[in-house]
Amino acid sequence: MTILNKLQLKSLLKSSGNVQKDLFAEALLVRQKYFGNNVYLRGIIEFSNICQKNCYYCGIRKNNKSVQRYRMEMSEIEACLDFIKQANYGSVVLQSGEMLDEISKEFLLKIVQLIHQKYPELGITLSCGEFDFDFLKKLKEAGAHRYLLRIEASQKLLYEQLHPSDHSFENRVEVLKNLKKLNYQVGTGNLIGTPYQTLDDLVEDLMFFQKMDFDMFGLGPYVPHENTPLFETDYVKHWGIKKEEILNTTLNFIALLRIMMPTCNIATATALDSLHSKGRILALQAGANVIMPSVTPQSRREDYFLYQNKSSVDAGADETLDLVLDKVLEAGFIPVFGERGNAVHFCNRM
Ligand code: 5AD
Ligand code: SF4
């Protein structure tokens, strides 16, 4: 395995031209070795946009009063699941804002139980925030396999610049550790290109990911949303210029992560499509191996607006899948249906 020091990582993170080409070629070789041309698919259901948190960058933060809040009915979720089965997805991802009250927890537990009973073959991933150990254990026992919790920024200072003071960096790390203790396949990720972030922060993120030995990653570019505090920073004035730089840095980051952690699953973020029409495909070509088309009903999509220009807001689940498949096939990758697509890294770890 190639071992890169911090200086090399920093320089490769900003690479372009031939150096970047070589970087992608090496990452692609590693990707081919463990996954061939396969791309694992997960259907993602954004079942609620209600959130008790106030992350400075996020469009559905609690204090954004212009968002129409929803939590899907169980029947609506069941319809999404039926679509997932009919389309032969091997895994489902349940994503929502963070709600830690008993009613919300009970509801989530019911969804997991329902999926486990009705579709025991489906891989179940949750992405619903910082639950305590006991509740994460309950969800695991009910049938959940994987959990995604982005650290967003592994450096405490930057984390605190991106979140209000009642958000705890320590607790986030603690929850990630608990997820590992509970034998979840654990995924994390960061936001790339936020105000205040330096290349050194990104190098530390790579080191943190490796040190914590995570199984999966879902990372992506920061895309401003106008109803958020972060939008107000000077940075936004430079967004037009920064866009390409952020796209490049994100792709370089993915390639480096693939080289550093060859067997982990790396998902391509939908946010990449806000920077480039083929953003998610470029990520596959830089080493990512998972894509998560939204199966959220079209009527809900404009209310799950984490950032501006979110792609496929005007499409339904079947149209979204078709669009994704066209691009994946066109780029020469093989979409994998009917398989959970566990992280090889996790299987080795167990
Ligand atoms: N740009 C990109 N990603 C965002 N998220 C929230 N707001 C933004 C934004 N403005 C991401 C967070 C969170 C995930 C659900 O959405 O990283 O973990
Ligand atoms: Fe809530 Fe997640 Fe948005 Fe933060 S990023 S405000 S926790 S939905």
Side-chain angles (χ1 to χ4, degrees), residues 44 55-60 95-97 127 148-152 163 172 189-192 194 218-225 228 230 269 271-272 304-308:
I44 179 164
C55 308
Y56 289 146
Y57 43 83
C58 178
I60 61 168
Q95 193 177 70
S96 68
S127 173
L148 264 173
L149 180 68
R150 283 188 179 179
I151 187 76
E152 316 289 1
H163 300 91
R172 211 162 181 89
N190 56 351
L191 274 173
I192 296 177
T194 62
L219 54 96
Y222 162 66
V223 183
H225 185 296
T228 60
L230 220 54
L272 274 163
Y304 207 88
F305 225 41
L306 300 166
Y307 46 84
Q308 270 155 7

Side-chain angles (χ1 to χ4, degrees), residues 211-223:
K211 188 178 113 209
M212 293 277 291
D213 202 25
F214 292 113
D215 306 299
M216 336 181 281
F217 298 94
L219 54 96
Y222 162 66
V223 183

Side-chain angles (χ1 to χ4, degrees), residues 147-163:
Y147 206 101
L148 264 173
L149 180 68
R150 283 188 179 179
I151 187 76
E152 316 289 1
S154 71
Q155 297 305 287
K156 189 172 154 70
L157 173 65
L158 179 60
Y159 187 91
E160 288 175 351
Q161 284 169 313
L162 301 176
H163 300 91

Side-chain angles (χ1 to χ4, degrees), residues 57-290:
Y57 43 83
C58 178
I60 61 168
R61 64 199 298 276
K62 179 180 162 196
N63 286 2
N64 182 3
K65 304 295 180 207
S66 61
V67 173
Q68 181 135 2
R69 302 286 166 175
Y70 71 85
R71 192 184 77 185
M72 286 185 192
E73 297 295 330
M74 201 54 103
S75 56
E76 206 174 347
I77 295 171
E78 280 190 74
C80 295
L81 288 167
D82 291 343
F83 175 81
I84 283 179
K85 273 316 289 177
Q86 173 226 315
N88 199 19
Y89 281 101
S91 285
V92 55
V93 181
L94 294 166
Q95 193 177 70
S96 68
E98 179 174 297
M99 290 302 286
L100 306 182
D101 62 288
E102 290 308 313
I103 294 172
S104 304
K105 280 160 66 176
E106 252 335 281
F107 186 71
L108 178 60
L109 195 60
K110 273 210 184 111
I111 309 176
V112 174
Q113 285 162 343
L114 176 115
I115 302 174
H116 188 60
Q117 273 161 20
K118 205 169 164 193
Y119 301 119
E121 63 288 355
L122 273 185
I124 306 175
T125 306
L126 305 178
S127 173
C128 306
E130 298 173 26
F131 292 122
D132 61 42
F133 185 90
D134 290 344
F135 186 62
L136 289 172
K137 186 160 180 262
K138 262 194 190 169
L139 291 167
K140 182 82 173 40
E141 285 163 358
H145 304 105
R146 313 179 182 131
Y147 206 101
L148 264 173
L149 180 68
R150 283 188 179 179
I151 187 76
E152 316 289 1
S154 71
Q155 297 305 287
K156 189 172 154 70
L157 173 65
L158 179 60
Y159 187 91
E160 288 175 351
Q161 284 169 313
L162 301 176
H163 300 91
S165 57
D166 60 345
H167 292 35
S168 160
F169 174 75
E170 282 76 15
N171 192 55
R172 211 162 181 89
V173 176
E174 185 64 27
V175 176
L176 285 166
K177 287 183 179 163
N178 287 343
L179 288 163
K180 288 200 69 178
K181 275 189 208 145
L182 288 164
N183 287 339
Y184 275 93
Q185 293 182 46
V186 186
T188 195
N190 56 351
L191 274 173
I192 296 177
T194 62
Y196 318 117
Q197 185 181 60
T198 64
L199 280 177
D200 290 313
D201 286 320
L202 290 175
V203 170
E204 292 306 327
D205 286 349
L206 282 166
M207 306 303 287
F208 174 79
F209 292 171
Q210 194 173 45
K211 188 178 113 209
M212 293 277 291
D213 202 25
F214 292 113
D215 306 299
M216 336 181 281
F217 298 94
L219 54 96
Y222 162 66
V223 183
H225 185 296
E226 65 180 344
N227 290 325
T228 60
L230 220 54
F231 189 83
E232 304 301 331
T233 64
D234 259 6
Y235 166 90
V236 166
K237 293 184 197 138
H238 305 293
W239 173 238
I241 313 163
K242 281 246 172 179
K243 239 165 124 168
E244 200 177 319
E245 191 184 314
I246 294 177
L247 174 69
N248 265 322
T249 312
T250 307
L251 297 174
N252 293 343
F253 191 97
I254 289 174
L256 287 167
L257 189 56
R258 172 55 70 212
I259 292 166
M260 290 169 72
M261 302 190 69
T263 54
C264 63
N265 276 347
I266 305 180
T268 65
T270 314
L272 274 163
D273 282 3
S274 302
L275 301 187
H276 189 287
S277 60
K278 289 199 175 160
R280 278 186 289 178
I281 301 300
L282 294 175
L284 294 177
Q285 288 164 338
N289 69 318
V290 172

Side-chain angles (χ1 to χ4, degrees), residues 83 294-298 301 312-321:
F83 175 81
S294 170
V295 293
T296 305
Q298 191 178 342
R301 292 192 183 197
S312 296
V313 270
D314 52 355
D318 43 0
E319 219 180 314
T320 303
L321 178 59

